[in-house]
């Protein structure tokens, strides 16, 4: 489906593209004070490395070189433990604000990254739908003054947020920022056009909201707006932690967006997994902590859902990595999450318990998790859930995910 044009899509899409390292984020407005953030991990996170089932006696037999010393693990109640890099998430877990959901997978059984990401983001495991389920969620929310506007930050818009709900673009300060003269030239060039002219002019005016919310330089005056000018340019560039902080400030703002979707790369660990996985896990951990800080009091009405296209093989391969698998782990975080425990119908790691004798067997459906979150967060009925996730009657919404 063609992406609908908005005022800010015209302005910022023509003016600049934000290349945020290996992290991207999109945001959408919605007539609600509830915030919902989806973090897509592209490349297939090894769920048993992030949330280690050290209490399963078969774990060491399958992958001893990939399991940290138990003294380094961050315990989650006696059977599971967080990877040592997830210190902030562990603290939130102890505050009952993180809920890992283990042995989970989509309804599909492909091991192709491309197919699985399409299915994960459209919410349906066959062709025929080109919109993302998060875009359809925004369309199901009650009509309001800001409904139907979206904001994408980074390179492009993820499939998750594409669809009939209009999505615009935002480029963080410092990313190929055009000069005021270029903005003026673009506006003058497009002024006669009945579509682009008003969209660009409106976008130039609307940009001031984002600049004030983020305390970044105004394009026409060069001065800083907002209360925290020292945060205008993150010290470490625009990886996930810095983008999460910027997005959090927008989400927290009065009249700002309420829906966000991040895409994080770097999870395809076919070789040297023990060394390669620590950095992206630490980045994820720091980013969620940064998002929480930026949201401030709005964290209490925020739910973060972290999902990946599939898991990885239970057994270690010949290059000290893992290959494409099936079940993995998903994470919920937020001030209203009923956390402090691990939710799992654990299938076990004995050879006879593995899926196709190679993978952690799935016992939960990602659609059930997503349905349960958005039903509790936004109060949507079964008919709305069916439109967001077509052909999903077998995936009933999980209960008890959020505190009422």
């Amino acid at each position: 489906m063609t992406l609908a044009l908005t005022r800010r899509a015209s302005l910022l899409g023509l003016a600049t593209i934000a290349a945020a390292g290996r992290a991207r984020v999109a945001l959408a407005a919605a007539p609600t004070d509830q915030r919902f953030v989806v973090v897509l991990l592209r490349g297939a996170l090894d769920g048993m490395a992030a949330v280690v089932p050290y209490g399963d006696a078969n774990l060491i037999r399958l992958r001893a070189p990939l399991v940290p010393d138990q003294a380094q693990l961050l315990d989650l109640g006696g059977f599971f433990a967080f990877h040592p890099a997830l210190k902030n998430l562990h603290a939130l877990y102890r505050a009952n604000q993180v809920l890992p959901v283990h042995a989970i997978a989509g309804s599909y059984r492909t091991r192709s990254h491309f197919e699985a990401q399409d299915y994960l983001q459209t919410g349906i495991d066959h062709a025929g739908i080109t919109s993302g389920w998060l875009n359809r969620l925004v369309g199901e929310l009650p009509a309001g003054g800001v409904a139907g506007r979206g904001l994408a930050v980074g390179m492009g818009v993820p499939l998750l947020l594409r669809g009939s709900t209009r999505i615009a673009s935002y480029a963080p300060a410092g990313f190929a920022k055009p000069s005021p003269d270029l903005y003026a030239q673009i506006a003058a060039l497009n002024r006669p056009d009945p579509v682009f002219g008003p969209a660009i002019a409106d976008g130039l005016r609307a940009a001031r909201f984002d600049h004030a919310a983020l305390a970044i330089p105004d394009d026409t005056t060069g001065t800083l707006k907002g209360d925290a000018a020292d945060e205008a340019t993150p010290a470490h560039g625009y990886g996930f932690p810095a983008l999460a902080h910027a997005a959090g400030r927008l989400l927290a703002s009065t009249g700002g967006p309420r829906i966000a979707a991040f895409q994080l790369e770097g999870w395809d660990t076919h070789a040297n997994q023990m060394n390669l996985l620590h950095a992206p896990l630490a980045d994820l951990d720091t980013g969620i902590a940064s998002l929480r800080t930026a949201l401030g009091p709005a964290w209490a009405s925020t739910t973060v859902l972290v999902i990946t296209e599939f898991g990885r093989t239970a057994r270690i391969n010949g290059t000290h990595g893992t290959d494409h698998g099936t079940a993995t782990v998903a994470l919920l975080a937020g001030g209203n999450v009923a956390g402090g425990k691990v939710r799992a119908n654990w299938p076990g790691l004995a050879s006879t318990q593995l899926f196709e004798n190679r993978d952690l067997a799935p016992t939960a459906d990602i659609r059930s998790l997503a349905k349960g979150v958005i039903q509790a967060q936004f109060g949507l009925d079964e008919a709305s859930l069916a439109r967001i996730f077509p052909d999903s009657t077998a995936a009933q919404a999980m209960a008890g995910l959020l505190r009422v």
Side-chain angles (χ1 to χ4, degrees), residues 99 101 332 336-339 343 368-369 372-373 376 398-403:
L99 177 70
V101 183
L332 285 182
N336 57 356
V337 169
R343 186 160 180 161
S368 294
L369 176 60
V373 172
M398 289 186 186
L401 300 173
L402 305 184
R403 290 190 295 269

Side-chain angles (χ1 to χ4, degrees), residues 106-110 115-116 118-120 122-129 365 367 390-392:
S107 59
Y108 45 86
R109 293 296 174 263
T110 179
E115 288 182 349
D118 280 353
Y119 297 152
L120 179 69
T122 61
I124 191 167
D125 59 2
H126 55 79
I129 289 185
D365 191 317
R367 297 171 302 171
D391 303 331
S392 64

Side-chain angles (χ1 to χ4, degrees), residues 75-249:
D75 193 65
L76 301 177
F79 186 90
F80 296 101
F82 271 143
H83 185 282
L86 301 177
K87 293 181 173 60
N88 290 303
L89 285 174
H90 188 241
L92 289 174
Y93 176 91
R94 295 178 65 181
N96 299 326
Q97 295 181 14
V98 165
L99 177 70
V101 183
H102 222 315
I104 194 168
S107 59
Y108 45 86
R109 293 296 174 263
T110 179
R111 292 189 174 93
S112 162
H113 290 301
F114 304 104
E115 288 182 349
Q117 276 290 334
D118 280 353
Y119 297 152
L120 179 69
Q121 297 190 49
T122 61
I124 191 167
D125 59 2
H126 55 79
I129 289 185
T130 58
S131 62
W133 62 261
L134 195 57
N135 186 283
R136 299 195 295 272
L137 164 62
V138 177
E140 289 293 327
L141 296 176
V146 296
R149 293 209 319 260
L151 180 62
V153 182
M155 295 178 63
V157 177
L159 175 57
L160 187 69
L161 258 177
R162 294 180 199 167
S164 59
T165 301
R166 296 182 297 171
I167 301 297
S169 301
Y170 170 77
F175 272 81
K177 185 177 181 220
S179 68
D181 286 343
L182 180 56
Y183 278 132
Q185 291 170 15
I186 291 173
L189 180 66
N190 288 275
R191 190 171 293 119
D193 189 282
V195 175
F196 282 86
I200 290 174
D202 201 17
L204 284 168
R205 290 190 292 271
R208 293 181 180 275
F209 164 76
D210 296 326
H211 294 165
L214 292 171
I216 61 178
D218 181 271
D219 292 326
T220 56
T221 66
T223 59
L224 288 172
K225 303 292 183 182
D227 298 327
D230 57 328
E231 297 182 13
T233 304
H236 302 291
Y238 286 95
F240 177 50
L243 271 184
H245 188 81
R249 296 185 67 173

Side-chain angles (χ1 to χ4, degrees), residues 2-388:
T2 303
L3 189 66
L5 175 70
T6 66
R7 57 189 189 182
R8 295 179 49 71
S10 300
L11 166 67
L12 296 170
L14 289 172
T16 187
I17 295 176
R22 304 180 79 180
R24 291 179 286 171
V25 60
L27 301 101
T32 176
D33 282 332
Q34 300 297 309
R35 280 85 171 172
F36 185 43
V37 178
V38 180
V39 182
L40 295 167
L41 307 183
R42 297 179 60 94
L45 167 68
D46 184 353
M48 292 195 295
V51 178
V52 183
Y54 72 86
D56 192 308
N58 289 292
L59 180 70
I60 298 301
R61 176 182 62 82
L62 292 170
R63 48 164 59 198
L66 302 183
V67 182
D69 293 338
Q70 190 163 338
Q72 297 178 309
L73 294 174
L74 305 173
D75 193 65
L76 301 177
F79 186 90
F80 296 101
F82 271 143
H83 185 282
L86 301 177
K87 293 181 173 60
N88 290 303
L89 285 174
H90 188 241
L92 289 174
Y93 176 91
R94 295 178 65 181
N96 299 326
Q97 295 181 14
V98 165
L99 177 70
V101 183
H102 222 315
I104 194 168
S107 59
Y108 45 86
R109 293 296 174 263
T110 179
R111 292 189 174 93
S112 162
H113 290 301
F114 304 104
E115 288 182 349
Q117 276 290 334
D118 280 353
Y119 297 152
L120 179 69
Q121 297 190 49
T122 61
I124 191 167
D125 59 2
H126 55 79
I129 289 185
T130 58
S131 62
W133 62 261
L134 195 57
N135 186 283
R136 299 195 295 272
L137 164 62
V138 177
E140 289 293 327
L141 296 176
V146 296
R149 293 209 319 260
L151 180 62
V153 182
M155 295 178 63
V157 177
L159 175 57
L160 187 69
L161 258 177
R162 294 180 199 167
S164 59
T165 301
R166 296 182 297 171
I167 301 297
S169 301
Y170 170 77
F175 272 81
K177 185 177 181 220
S179 68
D181 286 343
L182 180 56
Y183 278 132
Q185 291 170 15
I186 291 173
L189 180 66
N190 288 275
R191 190 171 293 119
D193 189 282
V195 175
F196 282 86
I200 290 174
D202 201 17
L204 284 168
R205 290 190 292 271
R208 293 181 180 275
F209 164 76
D210 296 326
H211 294 165
L214 292 171
I216 61 178
D218 181 271
D219 292 326
T220 56
T221 66
T223 59
L224 288 172
K225 303 292 183 182
D227 298 327
D230 57 328
E231 297 182 13
T233 304
H236 302 291
Y238 286 95
F240 177 50
L243 271 184
H245 188 81
R249 296 185 67 173
L250 286 172
L251 288 163
S253 298
T254 302
R258 294 293 179 259
I259 307 291
F262 290 90
Q263 295 189 98
L264 307 185
E265 310 286 345
W267 305 94
D268 201 14
T269 51
H270 286 284
N272 194 25
Q273 177 173 301
M274 191 73 165
N275 292 326
L276 293 181
L277 194 56
H278 191 282
L281 282 174
D283 205 47
L284 173 67
D285 183 70
T286 304
I288 291 177
S290 182
L291 178 69
R292 177 179 179 269
T293 298
L295 281 164
W299 175 254
S301 59
T302 299
T303 303
V304 181
L305 172 63
V306 182
I307 51 177
T308 192
E309 65 261 43
F310 46 69
R312 309 194 71 83
T313 49
R315 296 182 181 89
I316 191 172
N317 64 24
T319 56
H320 278 211
T322 52
D323 300 318
H324 300 174
T326 306
T328 183
V329 74
L331 300 172
L332 285 182
N336 57 356
V337 169
K341 55 185 177 291
V342 178
R343 186 160 180 161
N345 178 12
W346 188 246
L349 296 176
S351 296
T352 57
Q353 296 170 320
L354 297 179
F355 178 72
E356 297 184 349
N357 193 33
R358 56 173 278 161
D359 301 337
L360 177 66
T363 60
D365 191 317
I366 287 175
R367 297 171 302 171
S368 294
L369 176 60
K371 280 183 173 183
V373 172
I374 62 181
Q375 186 177 56
Q377 187 87 341
F378 300 109
L380 298 183
D381 60 20
E382 293 295 333
S384 292
L385 293 178
R387 287 188 291 268
I388 296 168

